[in-house]
């Protein structure tokens, strides 16, 4: 009986020893989710980053706790434009509260979050909730951190992270004491940009249209007799001396050309009647091929033209100033060129699509 009792005592002691030396796990609260959204994923291109750190239920970011963002060494990101003295490059929202960000060493008594260190060699950003930071009510907050020119809550951010020069998946780690030092990784992909190109054929449509007498042929100069034209003729018919006659045609132009269009006008010969000719005229003594002039006196014979902008474009598109166009009370005229060897007048034009 003594031997058996001793054996039972030994087994009981052994059991106590085994229980006392089993290590109990210490678990930090894991993040529910971690994402990083970049504004531009092309290699070697500056980009803004927006981190969303979703804390586990029951966890908060409290005073004195840190949050660290670390781009994996060797991935090739360039954070050299950032510094712990430039809080304007960072915005932090905890739950729905926009937090105050201060430079390293400026916590003092402020309810704020400090950008404690920026290590541009390891591409690491460390944030610390100041001693007087007020923890947001509730728990399981989403912490949103904007890094770059997307940080606009205080002073506007003026730096951006340059992406890795190589394509592929890159790792970013978020850690700190804010959630029991339980770190978590997220991945972003650096991908080559896609070039999109298209060619649109240029189009040009030009139409010469007939205008009926008295319909759209507004010319008040010299109280002329108006005639009806066709698309290809201006049939003045039998005319009387010392009398103004006026015929109009409408020119319509449509183009998508970036350089626009130009319509020129020229005369191949003088008007003739047998051996007689009707001169190109000088209006009331002032106009010529390239100079406008008024024409109100019927005894000043000749042949000329004016232009009127009907499209609602700028007056310059008609080649004649607004106050000198055909539909003005005192329109001005050009005379046609004597022969085709002279340069023509660009009397209707546009510098872009119309």
């Amino acid at each position: 009986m003594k031997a058996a009792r001793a054996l039972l005592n030994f087994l009981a002691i052994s059991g106590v020893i085994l229980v006392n030396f089993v290590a109990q796990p210490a678990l930090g609260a894991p993040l529910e989710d971690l994402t990083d959204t970049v504004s531009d994923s092309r290699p070697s291109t500056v980009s803004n980053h927006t981190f969303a750190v979703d804390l586990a239920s029951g966890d908060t970011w409290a005073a004195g706790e840190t949050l660290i963002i670390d781009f994996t060494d060797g991935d090739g990101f360039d954070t050299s434009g950032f510094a712990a003295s430039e809080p304007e490059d960072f915005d932090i929202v905890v739950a729905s509260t926009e937090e105050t960000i201060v430079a390293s060493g400026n916590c003092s008594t402020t309810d704020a979050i400090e950008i404690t260190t920026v290590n541009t060699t390891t591409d690491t950003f460390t944030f610390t909730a100041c001693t007087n930071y007020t923890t947001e009510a509730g728990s399981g907050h989403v912490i949103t951190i904007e890094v770059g020119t997307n940080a606009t809550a205080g002073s506007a951010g003026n730096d951006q992270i340059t992406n890795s020069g190589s394509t592929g998946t890159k790792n970013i780690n978020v850690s700190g004491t804010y959630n029991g030092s339980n770190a978590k990784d997220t991945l972003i992909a650096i991908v080559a940009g896609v070039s999109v190109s298209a060619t649109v054929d240029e189009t040009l449509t030009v139409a010469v249209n007939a205008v009926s007498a008295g319909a759209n042929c507004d010319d008040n100069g010299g109280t002329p007799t108006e005639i009806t034209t066709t698309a290809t003729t201006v049939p003045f018919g039998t005319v009387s001396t010392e009398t103004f006659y006026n015929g109009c045609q409408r020119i319509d132009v449509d183009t998508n050309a970036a350089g626009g269009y130009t319509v020129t006008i020229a005369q191949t010969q003088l008007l003739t009647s047998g051996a007689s000719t009707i001169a190109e005229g000088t209006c009331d003594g002032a106009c010529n091929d390239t100079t406008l002039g008024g024409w109100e006196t019927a005894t000043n014979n000749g042949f000329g033209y004016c232009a009127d902008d009907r499209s609602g474009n700028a007056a310059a598109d008609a080649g004649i100033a607004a106050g000198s166009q055909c539909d003005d009370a005192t329109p001005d005229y050009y005379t046609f060129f004597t022969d085709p060897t002279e340069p023509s007048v660009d009397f209707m034009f546009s510098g872009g699509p119309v």
Side-chain angles (χ1 to χ4, degrees):
M1 293 297 294
K2 291 183 179 179
R5 187 180 299 112
L7 177 59
L8 290 174
N9 288 341
F10 173 76
L11 290 175
I13 293 171
S14 297
V16 171
I17 293 172
L18 288 173
V19 171
N20 286 344
F21 281 86
V22 172
Q24 301 300 313
L27 299 177
L31 297 177
E32 292 292 331
D33 197 12
L34 171 64
T35 63
D36 179 20
T37 303
V38 295
S39 61
D40 197 321
S41 62
R42 293 174 296 168
S44 303
T45 304
V46 294
S47 178
N48 294 324
H49 290 248
T50 302
F51 295 90
V53 182
D54 190 357
L55 301 184
S57 178
D59 202 15
T60 60
W61 190 0
E65 295 181 339
T66 60
L67 187 152
I68 303 168
I69 299 173
D70 183 19
F71 290 78
T72 299
D73 294 348
D75 272 356
F77 288 91
D78 182 0
T79 60
S80 59
F82 292 83
S85 59
E86 298 179 345
E88 66 271 13
D89 289 328
F90 308 92
D91 279 351
I92 298 178
V93 175
V94 178
S96 59
T97 301
E98 187 80 49
E99 306 292 349
T100 300
I101 311 299
V102 295
S104 179
N106 289 338
C107 262
S108 62
T109 59
T110 307
D111 177 5
I113 294 174
E114 175 191 63
I115 173 65
T116 307
T117 60
V118 172
N119 189 324
T120 58
T121 301
T122 61
D123 303 314
T124 304
F125 303 93
T126 301
F127 304 90
T128 304
C130 295
T131 303
N132 289 282
Y133 173 71
T134 300
T135 302
E136 302 304 330
S139 66
H141 304 131
V142 174
I143 302 171
T144 303
I145 304 174
E146 294 176 323
V147 182
T149 57
N150 54 339
T152 58
S155 300
N158 52 25
D159 294 299
Q160 292 178 290
I161 297 172
T162 302
N163 289 338
S164 170
S166 63
T167 60
T169 301
K170 311 298 179 182
N171 185 80
I172 304 171
N173 177 269
V174 172
S175 63
T177 60
Y178 67 99
N179 70 327
S181 298
N182 191 275
K184 193 164 187 176
D185 293 338
T186 188
L187 301 174
I188 61 173
I190 302 301
V191 296
V194 178
S195 297
V196 178
S197 63
T199 300
V200 179
D201 290 335
E202 292 181 339
T203 60
L204 176 65
T205 302
V206 181
V208 179
N209 301 279
V211 175
S212 300
N216 294 298
C217 191
D218 299 328
D219 184 339
N220 298 316
T223 60
T225 297
E226 295 188 1
I227 64 171
T228 296
T229 65
T230 72
T232 57
T233 65
V234 182
F236 284 103
T238 301
V239 298
S240 300
T241 59
E242 324 304 358
T243 302
F244 282 109
Y245 291 85
N246 191 47
C248 295
Q249 290 174 309
R250 190 185 77 247
I251 302 176
D252 294 333
V253 180
D254 291 286
T255 183
N256 66 353
Y261 75 93
T262 300
V263 175
T264 60
I265 188 168
Q267 177 182 347
T268 58
Q269 67 178 62
L270 293 174
L271 296 179
T272 62
S273 176
S276 301
T277 61
I278 297 177
E280 61 180 358
T282 58
C283 303
D284 284 342
C287 73
N288 56 40
D289 297 343
T290 58
T291 303
L292 285 167
W295 204 343
E296 298 286 331
T297 306
T299 54
N300 290 334
N301 304 139
F303 184 44
Y305 74 94
C306 62
D308 179 28
D309 182 1
R310 293 302 186 117
S311 66
N313 296 327
D317 287 357
I320 296 177
S324 300
Q325 295 188 26
C326 295
D327 60 352
D328 292 296
T330 56
D332 290 327
Y333 295 82
Y334 288 112
T335 57
F336 286 100
F337 295 102
T338 304
D339 62 69
T341 62
E342 298 181 67
S344 57
V345 169
D346 298 339
F347 83 106
M348 183 175 170
F349 49 84
S350 174
V354 62

